[in-house]
Structure formats: structure tokens, C-alpha cells
PDB file of all heavy atoms in Angstrom:
ATOM      1  N   ARG A  21       0.861  -1.195   0.002  1.00 98.00           N
ATOM      2  CA  ARG A  21       0.003   0.014  -0.023  1.00 98.00           C
ATOM      3  C   ARG A  21       0.778   1.291  -0.058  1.00 98.00           C
ATOM      4  O   ARG A  21       0.271   2.398  -0.236  1.00 98.00           O
ATOM      5  CB  ARG A  21      -0.933   0.023   1.307  1.00 98.00           C
ATOM      6  CG  ARG A  21      -1.998  -1.087   1.232  1.00 98.00           C
ATOM      7  CD  ARG A  21      -3.023  -0.879   0.264  1.00 98.00           C
ATOM      8  NE  ARG A  21      -3.794   0.374   0.769  1.00 98.00           N
ATOM      9  CZ  ARG A  21      -4.892   0.294   1.612  1.00 98.00           C
ATOM     10  NH1 ARG A  21      -5.215  -0.806   2.113  1.00 98.00           N
ATOM     11  NH2 ARG A  21      -5.586   1.458   1.734  1.00 98.00           N
ATOM     12  N   TYR A  22       2.195   1.081   0.166  1.00 98.00           N
ATOM     13  CA  TYR A  22       3.014   2.233   0.279  1.00 98.00           C
ATOM     14  C   TYR A  22       4.016   2.478  -0.970  1.00 98.00           C
ATOM     15  O   TYR A  22       5.017   3.153  -0.769  1.00 98.00           O
ATOM     16  CB  TYR A  22       3.787   2.122   1.516  1.00 98.00           C
ATOM     17  CG  TYR A  22       2.865   2.130   2.758  1.00 98.00           C
ATOM     18  CD1 TYR A  22       2.411   0.953   3.341  1.00 98.00           C
ATOM     19  CD2 TYR A  22       2.338   3.408   3.333  1.00 98.00           C
ATOM     20  CE1 TYR A  22       1.481   0.982   4.483  1.00 98.00           C
ATOM     21  CE2 TYR A  22       1.503   3.399   4.361  1.00 98.00           C
ATOM     22  CZ  TYR A  22       1.176   2.204   4.955  1.00 98.00           C
ATOM     23  OH  TYR A  22       0.205   2.126   6.010  1.00 98.00           O
ATOM     24  N   SER A  23       3.747   1.755  -1.969  1.00 98.00           N
ATOM     25  CA  SER A  23       4.619   1.908  -3.120  1.00 98.00           C
ATOM     26  C   SER A  23       4.229   3.366  -3.746  1.00 98.00           C
ATOM     27  O   SER A  23       3.198   3.893  -3.355  1.00 98.00           O
ATOM     28  CB  SER A  23       4.315   0.865  -4.166  1.00 98.00           C
ATOM     29  OG  SER A  23       2.997   0.969  -4.734  1.00 98.00           O
ATOM     30  N   THR A  24       5.044   3.768  -4.753  1.00 97.00           N
ATOM     31  CA  THR A  24       4.766   5.154  -5.318  1.00 97.00           C
ATOM     32  C   THR A  24       3.497   5.094  -6.061  1.00 97.00           C
ATOM     33  O   THR A  24       2.558   6.048  -5.821  1.00 97.00           O
ATOM     34  CB  THR A  24       5.958   5.433  -6.328  1.00 97.00           C
ATOM     35  OG1 THR A  24       7.120   5.536  -5.536  1.00 97.00           O
ATOM     36  CG2 THR A  24       5.673   6.837  -6.955  1.00 97.00           C
ATOM     37  N   ALA A  25       3.134   4.075  -6.841  1.00 97.00           N
ATOM     38  CA  ALA A  25       1.931   3.947  -7.581  1.00 97.00           C
ATOM     39  C   ALA A  25       0.694   3.921  -6.556  1.00 97.00           C
ATOM     40  O   ALA A  25      -0.288   4.553  -6.797  1.00 97.00           O
ATOM     41  CB  ALA A  25       1.964   2.797  -8.506  1.00 97.00           C
ATOM     42  N   SER A  26       0.898   3.202  -5.452  1.00 98.00           N
ATOM     43  CA  SER A  26      -0.224   3.028  -4.571  1.00 98.00           C
ATOM     44  C   SER A  26      -0.533   4.287  -3.864  1.00 98.00           C
ATOM     45  O   SER A  26      -1.682   4.688  -3.635  1.00 98.00           O
ATOM     46  CB  SER A  26       0.094   1.946  -3.558  1.00 98.00           C
ATOM     47  OG  SER A  26       0.096   0.685  -4.134  1.00 98.00           O
ATOM     48  N   MET A  27       0.581   5.122  -3.541  1.00 98.00           N
ATOM     49  CA  MET A  27       0.305   6.407  -2.868  1.00 98.00           C
ATOM     50  C   MET A  27      -0.294   7.387  -3.757  1.00 98.00           C
ATOM     51  O   MET A  27      -1.108   8.157  -3.373  1.00 98.00           O
ATOM     52  CB  MET A  27       1.579   7.013  -2.240  1.00 98.00           C
ATOM     53  CG  MET A  27       2.171   6.064  -1.068  1.00 98.00           C
ATOM     54  SD  MET A  27       1.150   5.897   0.225  1.00 98.00           S
ATOM     55  CE  MET A  27       1.412   7.467   0.963  1.00 98.00           C
ATOM     56  N   ARG A  28       0.094   7.320  -5.084  1.00 98.00           N
ATOM     57  CA  ARG A  28      -0.450   8.144  -6.108  1.00 98.00           C
ATOM     58  C   ARG A  28      -1.946   7.888  -6.200  1.00 98.00           C
ATOM     59  O   ARG A  28      -2.738   8.809  -6.178  1.00 98.00           O
ATOM     60  CB  ARG A  28       0.244   7.945  -7.426  1.00 98.00           C
ATOM     61  CG  ARG A  28      -0.357   8.766  -8.636  1.00 98.00           C
ATOM     62  CD  ARG A  28       0.077   8.013  -9.875  1.00 98.00           C
ATOM     63  NE  ARG A  28      -0.448   6.671  -9.950  1.00 98.00           N
ATOM     64  CZ  ARG A  28      -0.022   5.740 -10.745  1.00 98.00           C
ATOM     65  NH1 ARG A  28       0.991   5.962 -11.582  1.00 98.00           N
ATOM     66  NH2 ARG A  28      -0.549   4.507 -10.851  1.00 98.00           N
ATOM     67  N   ASP A  29      -2.323   6.657  -6.253  1.00 98.00           N
ATOM     68  CA  ASP A  29      -3.606   6.236  -6.473  1.00 98.00           C
ATOM     69  C   ASP A  29      -4.430   6.604  -5.221  1.00 98.00           C
ATOM     70  O   ASP A  29      -5.649   6.933  -5.334  1.00 98.00           O
ATOM     71  CB  ASP A  29      -3.773   4.732  -6.825  1.00 98.00           C
ATOM     72  CG  ASP A  29      -3.246   4.442  -8.179  1.00 98.00           C
ATOM     73  OD1 ASP A  29      -2.957   5.302  -8.955  1.00 98.00           O
ATOM     74  OD2 ASP A  29      -2.982   3.127  -8.432  1.00 98.00           O
ATOM     75  N   HIS A  30      -3.794   6.484  -4.049  1.00 98.00           N
ATOM     76  CA  HIS A  30      -4.513   6.817  -2.825  1.00 98.00           C
ATOM     77  C   HIS A  30      -4.876   8.282  -2.821  1.00 98.00           C
ATOM     78  O   HIS A  30      -6.033   8.644  -2.411  1.00 98.00           O
ATOM     79  CB  HIS A  30      -3.517   6.474  -1.602  1.00 98.00           C
ATOM     80  CG  HIS A  30      -3.977   6.941  -0.285  1.00 98.00           C
ATOM     81  ND1 HIS A  30      -5.224   6.736   0.214  1.00 98.00           N
ATOM     82  CD2 HIS A  30      -3.382   7.795   0.513  1.00 98.00           C
ATOM     83  CE1 HIS A  30      -5.309   7.256   1.380  1.00 98.00           C
ATOM     84  NE2 HIS A  30      -4.233   7.946   1.601  1.00 98.00           N
ATOM     85  N   LEU A  31      -3.874   9.131  -3.251  1.00 98.00           N
ATOM     86  CA  LEU A  31      -4.212  10.519  -3.283  1.00 98.00           C
ATOM     87  C   LEU A  31      -5.418  10.854  -4.243  1.00 98.00           C
ATOM     88  O   LEU A  31      -6.252  11.705  -3.882  1.00 98.00           O
ATOM     89  CB  LEU A  31      -3.016  11.415  -3.708  1.00 98.00           C
ATOM     90  CG  LEU A  31      -3.165  12.890  -3.828  1.00 98.00           C
ATOM     91  CD1 LEU A  31      -3.687  13.592  -2.645  1.00 98.00           C
ATOM     92  CD2 LEU A  31      -1.777  13.531  -4.337  1.00 98.00           C
ATOM     93  N   LEU A  32      -5.420  10.294  -5.412  1.00 98.00           N
ATOM     94  CA  LEU A  32      -6.437  10.494  -6.279  1.00 98.00           C
ATOM     95  C   LEU A  32      -7.722   9.967  -5.823  1.00 98.00           C
ATOM     96  O   LEU A  32      -8.863  10.617  -5.952  1.00 98.00           O
ATOM     97  CB  LEU A  32      -6.121   9.658  -7.619  1.00 98.00           C
ATOM     98  CG  LEU A  32      -7.106   9.884  -8.831  1.00 98.00           C
ATOM     99  CD1 LEU A  32      -7.220  11.438  -9.208  1.00 98.00           C
ATOM    100  CD2 LEU A  32      -6.725   9.034  -9.983  1.00 98.00           C
ATOM    101  N   GLU A  33      -7.832   8.961  -4.958  1.00 98.00           N
ATOM    102  CA  GLU A  33      -9.113   8.471  -4.346  1.00 98.00           C
ATOM    103  C   GLU A  33      -9.445   9.417  -3.350  1.00 98.00           C
ATOM    104  O   GLU A  33     -10.795   9.666  -3.075  1.00 98.00           O
ATOM    105  CB  GLU A  33      -8.736   7.071  -3.521  1.00 98.00           C
ATOM    106  CG  GLU A  33      -9.910   6.361  -3.070  1.00 98.00           C
ATOM    107  CD  GLU A  33      -9.550   5.028  -2.294  1.00 98.00           C
ATOM    108  OE1 GLU A  33      -8.546   4.849  -1.826  1.00 98.00           O
ATOM    109  OE2 GLU A  33     -10.586   4.276  -2.168  1.00 98.00           O
ATOM    110  N   ILE A  34      -8.584  10.185  -2.599  1.00 98.00           N
ATOM    111  CA  ILE A  34      -8.945  11.233  -1.701  1.00 98.00           C
ATOM    112  C   ILE A  34      -9.587  12.378  -2.421  1.00 98.00           C
ATOM    113  O   ILE A  34     -10.734  12.892  -1.969  1.00 98.00           O
ATOM    114  CB  ILE A  34      -7.716  11.775  -0.894  1.00 98.00           C
ATOM    115  CG1 ILE A  34      -7.174  10.655   0.031  1.00 98.00           C
ATOM    116  CG2 ILE A  34      -8.134  13.087  -0.094  1.00 98.00           C
ATOM    117  CD1 ILE A  34      -5.903  11.024   0.669  1.00 98.00           C
ATOM    118  N   VAL A  35      -9.043  12.769  -3.626  1.00 98.00           N
ATOM    119  CA  VAL A  35      -9.596  13.839  -4.447  1.00 98.00           C
ATOM    120  C   VAL A  35     -11.076  13.454  -4.899  1.00 98.00           C
ATOM    121  O   VAL A  35     -11.986  14.317  -4.944  1.00 98.00           O
ATOM    122  CB  VAL A  35      -8.690  14.056  -5.583  1.00 98.00           C
ATOM    123  CG1 VAL A  35      -9.342  15.028  -6.649  1.00 98.00           C
ATOM    124  CG2 VAL A  35      -7.349  14.528  -5.160  1.00 98.00           C
ATOM    125  N   ASP A  36     -11.239  12.186  -5.252  1.00 98.00           N
ATOM    126  CA  ASP A  36     -12.463  11.712  -5.668  1.00 98.00           C
ATOM    127  C   ASP A  36     -13.557  11.800  -4.504  1.00 98.00           C
ATOM    128  O   ASP A  36     -14.664  12.183  -4.694  1.00 98.00           O
ATOM    129  CB  ASP A  36     -12.461  10.280  -6.153  1.00 98.00           C
ATOM    130  CG  ASP A  36     -11.807  10.140  -7.569  1.00 98.00           C
ATOM    131  OD1 ASP A  36     -11.669  11.300  -8.184  1.00 98.00           O
ATOM    132  OD2 ASP A  36     -11.245   9.056  -7.881  1.00 98.00           O
ATOM    133  N   ALA A  37     -13.165  11.395  -3.317  1.00 98.00           N
ATOM    134  CA  ALA A  37     -14.006  11.462  -2.220  1.00 98.00           C
ATOM    135  C   ALA A  37     -14.350  12.791  -1.737  1.00 98.00           C
ATOM    136  O   ALA A  37     -15.448  13.023  -1.268  1.00 98.00           O
ATOM    137  CB  ALA A  37     -13.256  10.650  -1.061  1.00 98.00           C
ATOM    138  N   LEU A  38     -13.433  13.684  -2.119  1.00 97.00           N
ATOM    139  CA  LEU A  38     -13.828  15.183  -1.765  1.00 97.00           C
ATOM    140  C   LEU A  38     -14.703  15.890  -2.805  1.00 97.00           C
ATOM    141  O   LEU A  38     -15.130  16.939  -2.563  1.00 97.00           O
ATOM    142  CB  LEU A  38     -12.550  15.980  -1.526  1.00 97.00           C
ATOM    143  CG  LEU A  38     -11.820  15.576  -0.284  1.00 97.00           C
ATOM    144  CD1 LEU A  38     -10.252  16.244  -0.437  1.00 97.00           C
ATOM    145  CD2 LEU A  38     -12.484  16.128   0.902  1.00 97.00           C
ATOM    146  N   GLY A  39     -14.889  15.131  -3.960  1.00 97.00           N
ATOM    147  CA  GLY A  39     -15.694  15.620  -5.114  1.00 97.00           C
ATOM    148  C   GLY A  39     -14.982  16.682  -5.782  1.00 97.00           C
ATOM    149  O   GLY A  39     -15.668  17.622  -6.459  1.00 97.00           O
ATOM    150  N   LEU A  40     -13.646  16.643  -5.887  1.00 97.00           N
ATOM    151  CA  LEU A  40     -12.931  17.742  -6.577  1.00 97.00           C
ATOM    152  C   LEU A  40     -12.628  17.239  -7.953  1.00 97.00           C
ATOM    153  O   LEU A  40     -11.770  16.281  -8.242  1.00 97.00           O
ATOM    154  CB  LEU A  40     -11.603  17.896  -5.890  1.00 97.00           C
ATOM    155  CG  LEU A  40     -11.668  18.264  -4.408  1.00 97.00           C
ATOM    156  CD1 LEU A  40     -10.358  18.527  -3.855  1.00 97.00           C
ATOM    157  CD2 LEU A  40     -12.579  19.569  -4.292  1.00 97.00           C
ATOM    158  N   GLU A  41     -13.188  17.788  -8.983  1.00 96.00           N
ATOM    159  CA  GLU A  41     -13.141  17.452 -10.375  1.00 96.00           C
ATOM    160  C   GLU A  41     -11.659  17.843 -10.817  1.00 96.00           C
ATOM    161  O   GLU A  41     -11.133  17.178 -11.647  1.00 96.00           O
ATOM    162  CB  GLU A  41     -14.145  17.955 -11.239  1.00 96.00           C
ATOM    163  CG  GLU A  41     -15.528  17.349 -11.011  1.00 96.00           C
ATOM    164  CD  GLU A  41     -16.594  17.988 -11.894  1.00 96.00           C
ATOM    165  OE1 GLU A  41     -16.286  18.510 -12.891  1.00 96.00           O
ATOM    166  OE2 GLU A  41     -17.775  17.633 -11.726  1.00 96.00           O
ATOM    167  N   ARG A  42     -11.246  19.068 -10.414  1.00 96.00           N
ATOM    168  CA  ARG A  42     -10.061  19.549 -10.763  1.00 96.00           C
ATOM    169  C   ARG A  42      -9.523  20.443  -9.710  1.00 96.00           C
ATOM    170  O   ARG A  42     -10.246  21.172  -9.095  1.00 96.00           O
ATOM    171  CB  ARG A  42     -10.126  20.390 -12.138  1.00 96.00           C
ATOM    172  CG  ARG A  42      -8.890  20.595 -12.846  1.00 96.00           C
ATOM    173  CD  ARG A  42      -9.314  20.952 -14.407  1.00 96.00           C
ATOM    174  NE  ARG A  42      -8.157  21.303 -15.140  1.00 96.00           N
ATOM    175  CZ  ARG A  42      -7.737  22.491 -15.652  1.00 96.00           C
ATOM    176  NH1 ARG A  42      -8.562  23.629 -15.342  1.00 96.00           N
ATOM    177  NH2 ARG A  42      -6.690  22.714 -16.299  1.00 96.00           N
ATOM    178  N   ALA A  43      -8.345  20.329  -9.383  1.00 97.00           N
ATOM    179  CA  ALA A  43      -7.602  21.159  -8.336  1.00 97.00           C
ATOM    180  C   ALA A  43      -6.221  21.427  -8.548  1.00 97.00           C
ATOM    181  O   ALA A  43      -5.479  20.817  -9.413  1.00 97.00           O
ATOM    182  CB  ALA A  43      -7.712  20.278  -7.007  1.00 97.00           C
ATOM    183  N   GLY A  44      -5.669  22.431  -7.847  1.00 98.00           N
ATOM    184  CA  GLY A  44      -4.246  22.644  -7.727  1.00 98.00           C
ATOM    185  C   GLY A  44      -3.654  21.780  -6.718  1.00 98.00           C
ATOM    186  O   GLY A  44      -4.212  21.404  -5.673  1.00 98.00           O
ATOM    187  N   PHE A  45      -2.354  21.406  -6.782  1.00 98.00           N
ATOM    188  CA  PHE A  45      -1.643  20.627  -5.837  1.00 98.00           C
ATOM    189  C   PHE A  45      -0.384  21.260  -5.385  1.00 98.00           C
ATOM    190  O   PHE A  45       0.331  21.662  -6.339  1.00 98.00           O
ATOM    191  CB  PHE A  45      -1.440  19.239  -6.483  1.00 98.00           C
ATOM    192  CG  PHE A  45      -2.656  18.388  -6.550  1.00 98.00           C
ATOM    193  CD1 PHE A  45      -3.410  18.594  -7.710  1.00 98.00           C
ATOM    194  CD2 PHE A  45      -3.105  17.488  -5.703  1.00 98.00           C
ATOM    195  CE1 PHE A  45      -4.582  17.912  -7.968  1.00 98.00           C
ATOM    196  CE2 PHE A  45      -4.273  16.859  -5.884  1.00 98.00           C
ATOM    197  CZ  PHE A  45      -4.991  16.897  -7.000  1.00 98.00           C
ATOM    198  N   VAL A  46      -0.089  21.145  -4.131  1.00 98.00           N
ATOM    199  CA  VAL A  46       1.109  21.612  -3.551  1.00 98.00           C
ATOM    200  C   VAL A  46       1.672  20.194  -2.795  1.00 98.00           C
ATOM    201  O   VAL A  46       1.148  19.881  -1.888  1.00 98.00           O
ATOM    202  CB  VAL A  46       1.026  22.745  -2.582  1.00 98.00           C
ATOM    203  CG1 VAL A  46       2.266  23.145  -2.019  1.00 98.00           C
ATOM    204  CG2 VAL A  46       0.387  23.932  -3.311  1.00 98.00           C
ATOM    205  N   GLY A  47       2.869  19.789  -3.108  1.00 98.00           N
ATOM    206  CA  GLY A  47       3.424  18.536  -2.541  1.00 98.00           C
ATOM    207  C   GLY A  47       4.719  19.054  -1.924  1.00 98.00           C
ATOM    208  O   GLY A  47       5.551  19.617  -2.422  1.00 98.00           O
ATOM    209  N   HIS A  48       4.829  18.558  -0.622  1.00 98.00           N
ATOM    210  CA  HIS A  48       6.115  18.707   0.195  1.00 98.00           C
ATOM    211  C   HIS A  48       7.019  17.422   0.182  1.00 98.00           C
ATOM    212  O   HIS A  48       6.353  16.468   0.680  1.00 98.00           O
ATOM    213  CB  HIS A  48       5.883  19.260   1.511  1.00 98.00           C
ATOM    214  CG  HIS A  48       6.892  19.271   2.489  1.00 98.00           C
ATOM    215  ND1 HIS A  48       7.111  18.206   3.416  1.00 98.00           N
ATOM    216  CD2 HIS A  48       8.084  19.972   2.418  1.00 98.00           C
ATOM    217  CE1 HIS A  48       8.230  18.552   4.077  1.00 98.00           C
ATOM    218  NE2 HIS A  48       8.850  19.551   3.522  1.00 98.00           N
ATOM    219  N   SER A  49       8.133  17.463  -0.077  1.00 97.00           N
ATOM    220  CA  SER A  49       9.172  16.433   0.080  1.00 97.00           C
ATOM    221  C   SER A  49       8.530  15.074  -0.638  1.00 97.00           C
ATOM    222  O   SER A  49       8.364  15.131  -1.837  1.00 97.00           O
ATOM    223  CB  SER A  49       9.204  16.121   1.549  1.00 97.00           C
ATOM    224  OG  SER A  49      10.360  15.156   1.861  1.00 97.00           O
ATOM    225  N   MET A  50       8.472  14.055  -0.013  1.00 98.00           N
ATOM    226  CA  MET A  50       7.722  12.781  -0.598  1.00 98.00           C
ATOM    227  C   MET A  50       6.428  13.213  -1.342  1.00 98.00           C
ATOM    228  O   MET A  50       6.155  12.598  -2.295  1.00 98.00           O
ATOM    229  CB  MET A  50       7.506  11.677   0.421  1.00 98.00           C
ATOM    230  CG  MET A  50       6.909  10.462  -0.169  1.00 98.00           C
ATOM    231  SD  MET A  50       6.445   9.170   1.112  1.00 98.00           S
ATOM    232  CE  MET A  50       4.949  10.007   1.737  1.00 98.00           C
ATOM    233  N   GLY A  51       5.640  14.105  -0.564  1.00 98.00           N
ATOM    234  CA  GLY A  51       4.381  14.495  -1.235  1.00 98.00           C
ATOM    235  C   GLY A  51       4.543  15.249  -2.546  1.00 98.00           C
ATOM    236  O   GLY A  51       3.612  15.069  -3.437  1.00 98.00           O
ATOM    237  N   ALA A  52       5.760  15.795  -2.820  1.00 98.00           N
ATOM    238  CA  ALA A  52       6.028  16.367  -4.068  1.00 98.00           C
ATOM    239  C   ALA A  52       6.069  15.293  -5.188  1.00 98.00           C
ATOM    240  O   ALA A  52       5.518  15.520  -6.315  1.00 98.00           O
ATOM    241  CB  ALA A  52       7.212  17.191  -4.052  1.00 98.00           C
ATOM    242  N   ALA A  53       6.725  14.206  -4.804  1.00 97.00           N
ATOM    243  CA  ALA A  53       6.826  13.172  -5.739  1.00 97.00           C
ATOM    244  C   ALA A  53       5.500  12.449  -6.114  1.00 97.00           C
ATOM    245  O   ALA A  53       5.102  12.162  -7.296  1.00 97.00           O
ATOM    246  CB  ALA A  53       7.766  11.984  -5.370  1.00 97.00           C
ATOM    247  N   ILE A  54       4.645  12.427  -5.059  1.00 98.00           N
ATOM    248  CA  ILE A  54       3.239  11.824  -5.301  1.00 98.00           C
ATOM    249  C   ILE A  54       2.414  12.740  -6.181  1.00 98.00           C
ATOM    250  O   ILE A  54       1.657  12.297  -7.051  1.00 98.00           O
ATOM    251  CB  ILE A  54       2.682  11.539  -3.892  1.00 98.00           C
ATOM    252  CG1 ILE A  54       3.413  10.423  -3.087  1.00 98.00           C
ATOM    253  CG2 ILE A  54       1.092  11.088  -4.069  1.00 98.00           C
ATOM    254  CD1 ILE A  54       2.970  10.343  -1.667  1.00 98.00           C
TER     255      ILE A  54
END
């Protein structure tokens, strides 16, 4: 669940749950890679 692809898909799942069709993103450190 902690691979790069899994963390990327996890973030996209959060965006979906929040109902955000399109958003800006600010990532810090590992969050920047995701």
C-alpha cells in the first residue's frame, strides 16, 4: 500500500472522495513526488 503507484492512486482516491473534479496541488518532500 506504500509503493509510489499506490500512494499516487490513494491521493487520487482522496480527491474523488472530496468531489474535486480539478484542483491545484502543492506537494512537500515525498508528497511532491506523489
